[in-house]
Amino acid sequence: MSKSKVENDIVEKQKIISSLTLMDDLFMKVVLQDKECTEYILQTIMDDSTLKLKRQSLQKNLSNLHGHSLVLDCLCEDRDNNIYNIEIQNSSSGADPKRARYHAGLMDMHYLKKGNHFSQLPKSYVIFITANDVLYGELQIYHIERTIQESGKPFWDDSHIIYFNTSYVDNSPLGKLAEDFHAKETEQMNSGILSKRVALLKNAKPNEKGGKEMNVLLENYRKKALKEGIEKGIEKGIEKGIEKGREEEFIAKQKVIQLMGLLAEHGRIDDIKKSSTDQEYLQALLLEFGL
């Protein structure tokens, strides 16, 4: 790789790193590798400064031999054996109420061991941290609990669902945490715990621990964007190709795949994402690369 290409690659990587916020799920998973950050987020959402974690697992796979399996963003357990599933959701479709229900059910299935009584199920919390107010109640936080409709009394099954709407910012602890989730610069962050971790990751040199974590993140980010871009780009290419016949459809598909590979090679992640939803932009990129 030439010197100029290396320099351009570094600039592109730094551009991506500087644009990342805690609402980027891949970046958030790297941040949460520091358990203290997970504790702080849970303490704020749960309004419990004494909450401490025993263990946590990122990208935890919950298999289901008879149905849909899940990969959880963050699964953790506190010192009182309560379990928490934290999910970062930028799209409304990813925070569907039935998805929350399924997360809770699969967590129960994995935590109740064979031969154990149902009373041994721990308290469970499915927490969706959302970019927008997906429940449209104009609230900062939503606590979803089962109730007995006839009496209005709680149905104590110890299963809890929480939606934290980060689009609502104020001077409360929750509001300041919401602001931190969208901050690109550490100077804009309220939490010393989170800002210290983010600064370490964003400012680390490639051979340092934080730098190595970010290199892995950037590769995963590139793969994710490339996969999404190719899938959506192929869909667009196929739609366009169908109008002109099967042969041109195939050619259009191949050109889009080639374009996504070139964009990924040049670190142009934003172009991949934009072209996946903007047909005119996709065509302009095809012309730029002579495809």
Side-chain angles (χ1 to χ4, degrees):
M1 186 181 292
S2 66
K3 183 178 179 181
S4 60
K5 192 169 183 179
V6 170
E7 290 173 347
N8 289 337
D9 186 52
I10 292 173
V11 170
E12 287 295 333
K13 285 182 177 180
Q14 193 55 50
K15 181 181 176 182
I16 294 170
I17 290 172
S18 63
S19 71
L20 294 174
T21 71
L22 295 179
M23 285 308 300
D24 289 281
D25 60 340
L26 292 178
F27 183 51
M28 182 63 163
K29 289 163 195 170
V30 178
V31 172
L32 293 186
Q33 288 176 16
D34 183 342
K35 191 170 70 173
E36 189 178 9
C37 291
T38 313
E39 283 182 344
Y40 172 77
I41 290 168
L42 282 175
Q43 286 170 357
T44 306
I45 292 175
M46 301 298 298
D47 192 22
D48 180 4
S49 61
T50 66
L51 190 154
K52 294 292 182 182
L53 295 179
K54 283 197 302 186
R55 61 179 67 89
Q56 69 172 15
S57 178
L58 304 175
Q59 290 293 93
K60 175 67 174 179
N61 181 46
L62 296 188
S63 59
N64 181 3
L65 296 177
H66 304 290
H68 189 79
S69 298
L70 288 175
V71 178
L72 306 185
D73 286 352
C74 179
L75 181 64
C76 43
E77 183 178 354
D78 69 17
R79 291 178 180 175
D80 295 321
N81 302 317
N82 305 316
I83 55 175
Y84 306 84
N85 168 213
I86 303 172
E87 294 290 319
I88 304 297
Q89 296 295 338
N90 279 296
S91 67
S92 298
S93 61
D96 184 274
K98 287 190 177 180
R99 179 171 183 173
R101 167 186 165 185
Y102 193 74
H103 277 236
L106 204 53
M107 286 166 62
D108 286 345
M109 188 179 77
H110 277 258
Y111 268 83
L112 189 64
K113 304 301 181 184
K114 186 176 181 179
N116 287 358
H117 191 267
F118 294 112
S119 62
Q120 293 177 269
L121 274 172
K123 288 183 181 179
S124 70
Y125 297 85
V126 176
I127 301 173
F128 280 172
I129 299 174
T130 64
N132 303 301
D133 186 7
V134 300
L135 298 183
Y136 307 107
E138 298 184 4
L139 297 174
Q140 186 176 68
I141 194 164
Y142 299 84
H143 293 87
I144 294 92
E145 310 285 345
R146 288 190 176 94
T147 59
I148 302 170
Q149 291 189 3
E150 287 74 15
S151 66
K153 293 181 178 179
F155 180 68
W156 300 112
D157 63 350
D158 281 337
S159 177
H160 311 275
I161 296 172
I162 297 173
Y163 280 69
F164 174 36
N165 167 28
T166 64
S167 69
Y168 188 100
V169 175
D170 59 19
N171 287 322
S172 68
L174 273 176
K176 291 179 179 179
L177 178 61
E179 189 173 27
D180 285 354
F181 269 100
H182 292 277
K184 292 182 180 179
E185 305 294 336
T186 54
E187 293 80 7
Q188 300 170 340
M189 301 182 78
N190 301 286
S191 166
I193 293 171
L194 294 178
S195 63
K196 180 180 177 182
R197 174 64 173 162
V198 171
L200 183 149
L201 292 170
K202 287 196 172 188
N203 300 326
K205 295 178 181 179
N207 60 337
E208 296 176 344
K209 184 176 184 295
K212 292 177 181 178
E213 290 173 330
M214 290 305 288
N215 280 333
V216 173
L217 163 70
L218 287 171
E219 179 60 20
N220 290 335
Y221 196 84
R222 184 190 70 81
K223 288 178 180 177
K224 179 183 179 183
L226 180 59
K227 181 176 181 291
E228 291 176 352
I230 287 177
E231 288 174 350
K232 292 180 180 178
I234 288 174
E235 183 179 335
K236 292 286 184 183
I238 289 174
E239 288 174 2
K240 187 175 180 63
I242 287 174
E243 298 172 4
K244 298 182 178 180
R246 293 295 176 182
E247 183 177 352
E248 291 189 9
E249 172 190 338
F250 177 78
I251 293 172
K253 179 179 177 180
Q254 294 302 310
K255 285 182 178 180
V256 170
I257 291 173
Q258 187 178 355
L259 172 65
M260 295 303 157
L262 289 169
L263 290 173
E265 184 180 340
H266 287 81
R268 293 171 60 172
I269 305 300
D270 290 339
D271 285 335
I272 292 175
K273 295 169 73 175
K274 186 175 179 180
S275 65
S276 69
T277 57
D278 189 330
Q279 181 65 24
E280 290 185 4
Y281 195 71
L282 174 64
Q283 293 304 314
L285 289 173
L286 288 168
L287 286 174
E288 178 186 341
F289 285 87
L291 298 172

